Amino acid sequence: MKIELKLLKAEADALPKEIRKEEWRRRKEMKEVEVSDQERQFQESQKKLFDDSMRRLTEKHRQIIAAFEKDALAKKHQIMKCREVAIWEMEEKHLSERRLLATRQLKDFFFILRIQMRARHDKEMEQLRRYLSKQEEENLRRQAEERKRLPKVLRNEQKTRSKLFRASLFVDKDGMSTVDRQKQLMREFDEKEKQRIKAAMLKQQLKHEKQLETLRERAKASLKEMEQTHNEKCKLLSEYETAKLAEIEEEFRREKEAWKASLKHRKQVAYIVSSGRGQRREPMHGTFSVRVA
């Protein structure tokens, strides 16, 4: 600037004296205006260059920060998702374990109940067998006494009947009976008495056999009835167990359906919350400007 003014001064000094001063002032003002315009243009170009550089830096910075925060947010969402999935899996596993535990406890309860029922049944069967055995022994003892007593009774009856028959032979109003005839009648009577005694003993034997057979059939029927009663109880118990297991399955089915319904809602809430957080953080990714005076 100083050199240019010196040149202008030299040019102005070369002019005639009457116009030298005015021309120098005019040229000096023109030069100052020119220099001022150049400085202004330079400052404007520098300002524009600076603003462009700042915008590029700002945009690059914003992109870097946005990428970083996006990656951090994505990682955070992934961690949250993994955490929620782990919680959901744990809840589902806990629900399944509770169902298995309830089922196992119920089966164990009925298993113990069956053992108790079987033990009680075996005890009752043993008591019934002893009772029936005692009845049979008592019946056999009574029959033995009857078999022992019957011959004596029959012999006494035979003696009495024989005496009466013999006495009737001697009381013959017509006198038709001879000694030989009396002997023959006595032999016939004795033979009939033997047959009668034999028939009475056979009748007693058949009666005893029938009594014993009937008693044993009743005992067998009683044992069979008790066994059938036990089987019916076991069947009813099994049906009751099946019904209770079905109740447990139905209860846990409804509980799992309710859990799945709540899980769907929780997933939606988690997604909304994640999206809302991303939107709230978005202003941090905006541009910023630097004012240059």
Side-chain angles (χ1 to χ4, degrees), residues 56 80 89 94 121 129 163 165 210 244 279 291:
R56 286 194 299 271
M80 291 175 62
E89 289 178 352
H94 179 65
H121 171 68
R129 288 191 186 96
K163 288 180 180 179
F165 184 75
K210 183 64 176 178
K244 295 300 291 183
Q279 291 174 358
R291 294 182 177 272

Side-chain angles (χ1 to χ4, degrees), residues 60-73:
K60 185 176 181 181
H61 176 74
R62 189 194 69 80
Q63 291 176 356
I64 293 173
I65 296 299
F68 175 77
E69 290 188 352
K70 183 179 180 181
D71 183 62
L73 190 61

Side-chain angles (χ1 to χ4, degrees), residues 14 38 53 55 59 90 135 163 190 219 259:
Q38 289 177 354
S53 299
R55 277 194 294 271
E59 180 63 21
M90 182 180 65
Q135 273 192 333
K163 288 180 180 179
D190 290 341
W259 174 78

Side-chain angles (χ1 to χ4, degrees), residues 230-259:
H230 173 71
N231 292 336
E232 289 175 358
K233 288 180 179 179
C234 290
K235 183 180 178 181
L236 291 174
L237 183 64
S238 179
E239 292 175 353
Y240 183 63
E241 179 185 7
T242 302
K244 295 300 291 183
L245 288 172
E247 288 180 7
I248 290 177
E249 290 297 326
E250 178 62 21
E251 178 182 354
F252 277 94
R253 185 189 66 80
R254 291 195 299 267
E255 187 174 352
K256 190 168 185 178
E257 286 181 353
W259 174 78

Side-chain angles (χ1 to χ4, degrees), residues 198-212:
K198 185 176 180 181
M201 295 185 68
L202 180 60
K203 181 180 179 181
Q204 185 191 58
Q205 180 182 352
L206 294 175
K207 177 184 176 182
H208 286 174
E209 290 176 355
K210 183 64 176 178
Q211 287 178 345
L212 186 60

Side-chain angles (χ1 to χ4, degrees), residues 9-10 61 80 99-100 118 133-136 138 149 166 176 186 199 208 221-222 225 229 243 255 259 280 285:
K9 178 67 173 167
H61 176 74
M80 291 175 62
R99 181 184 66 83
L100 292 175
R118 187 67 203 183
S133 178
K134 186 176 180 180
Q135 273 192 333
E136 183 174 343
E138 184 67 22
R149 186 171 59 251
R166 191 182 297 276
M176 297 296 296
M186 283 300 299
H208 286 174
S222 297
E225 182 181 0
T229 301
E255 187 174 352
W259 174 78
R280 286 194 298 270
H285 304 156

